[in-house]
Amino acid sequence: MKLICANFKMNLTRNDIKNYLNVINDKIKDNVIFFPTSLYLNDFKEEGYKIGSQDISFKDFGSVTGDTSVLQLKDMGINYTIIGHSERREYFNDSKYVNQKINLALKNNIKVVLCIGENLNEFESNQTIIILKKELDDAINNNLDLINRDNLIIAYEPIWAIGTGKIPTIDILNKTILEIKEYLKSYNLNLKVLYGGSVNLDNIEELETINLIDGYLIGGASLNPEKFLSLINKVN
Ligand code: PGA
């Protein structure tokens, strides 16, 4: 079964979450992980769903106002965390901390969904694979001994596809995912690669034709529970 990660980002309030849980009631399988705002992690946990955080602090404890430690999130029952989402890289300079965060998560037995992806400029100037290799190197460097197929999942998310309704052509996507997997082999790694960026009901059937895709990271299309259920029903 493919892995499906629902990234709510900074959306939904308590009432929305209650409604969401009522709608999805018992219709979700074990391959779906919810990444709500940390404040609502417990609501999903209590209903028996698998949960992950959208980020962790680069430190375990200490004077980092506003951050949440992986150990505190682990207390909440997370099994997964997203690291290096492009929004965090853009607004919070997260590229600098990706390596440290992965190290902390893996040492604490939290599985990592590592986001990598090129921006439009890089895409248009054929630099995609250069960017992806750099982001993979930055993440893996010093952490190789901790990584295995079970605990590090790559999410390929072209930045220009996030929230825009645009996705790469199937040929390009196929080629890029193949290149990622080939590059990982140079580290002796065989990891799952998810696709993320405007996955929705209109393009899921097309995306499903790509055998190399091991799952999806879904933002906007995960926010409406009815639509999300329809979407994941189309995933093999
Ligand atoms: P989107 O977001 O599905 O809304 O494009 C995906 C993501 O940023 O993880």
Side-chain angles (χ1 to χ4, degrees), residues 197-209:
S198 292
V199 176
N200 61 37
L201 271 169
D202 295 331
N203 56 31
I204 190 67
E205 279 161 23
E206 205 184 354
L207 288 167
E208 279 288 282
T209 62

Side-chain angles (χ1 to χ4, degrees), residues 4 19 27 39 49 58 60 69 80 84-85 92 111 123 136 169 171 187-188 199 213 217-218:
I4 297 174
N19 174 56
K27 298 186 191 81
L39 294 170
Y49 299 111
F58 67 103
D60 51 0
S69 159
Y80 290 80
H85 191 282
F92 302 97
K111 298 178 204 288
F123 175 71
L136 287 170
T169 64
D171 279 355
Y187 280 104
N188 254 325
V199 176
I213 291 183
L217 178 51
I218 305 173

Side-chain angles (χ1 to χ4, degrees), residues 5 7 9 82 85-87 115 157 161-165 196-200 217-222:
C5 297
N7 175 16
K9 310 191 180 185
I82 296 173
H85 191 282
S86 62
E87 287 148 18
C115 298
E157 299 206 300
I162 295 177
T164 59
S198 292
V199 176
N200 61 37
L217 178 51
I218 305 173
S222 70

Side-chain angles (χ1 to χ4, degrees), residues 105-183:
L106 296 184
K107 279 193 176 146
N108 285 289
N109 294 318
I110 299 301
K111 298 178 204 288
V112 171
V113 178
L114 168 71
C115 298
I116 57 172
E118 80 288 356
N119 65 28
L120 188 59
N121 229 336
E122 292 155 351
F123 175 71
E124 286 177 344
S125 53
N126 286 323
Q127 289 179 67
T128 300
I129 194 62
I130 298 170
I131 300 298
L132 300 182
K133 283 181 180 174
K134 183 180 180 313
E135 289 183 340
L136 287 170
D137 291 341
D138 285 349
I140 295 169
N141 184 25
N142 298 324
N143 290 326
L144 192 55
D145 290 350
L146 293 169
I147 298 172
N148 58 52
R149 184 171 165 84
D150 189 47
N151 65 12
L152 182 68
I153 297 133
I154 309 300
Y156 170 52
E157 299 206 300
I159 298 170
W160 53 271
I162 295 177
T164 59
K166 293 181 198 147
I167 62 167
T169 64
I170 296 305
D171 279 355
I172 291 181
L173 194 46
N174 201 27
K175 180 171 160 272
T176 308
I177 293 191
L178 184 64
E179 282 174 333
I180 293 171
K181 291 194 173 185
E182 287 296 322
Y183 190 61

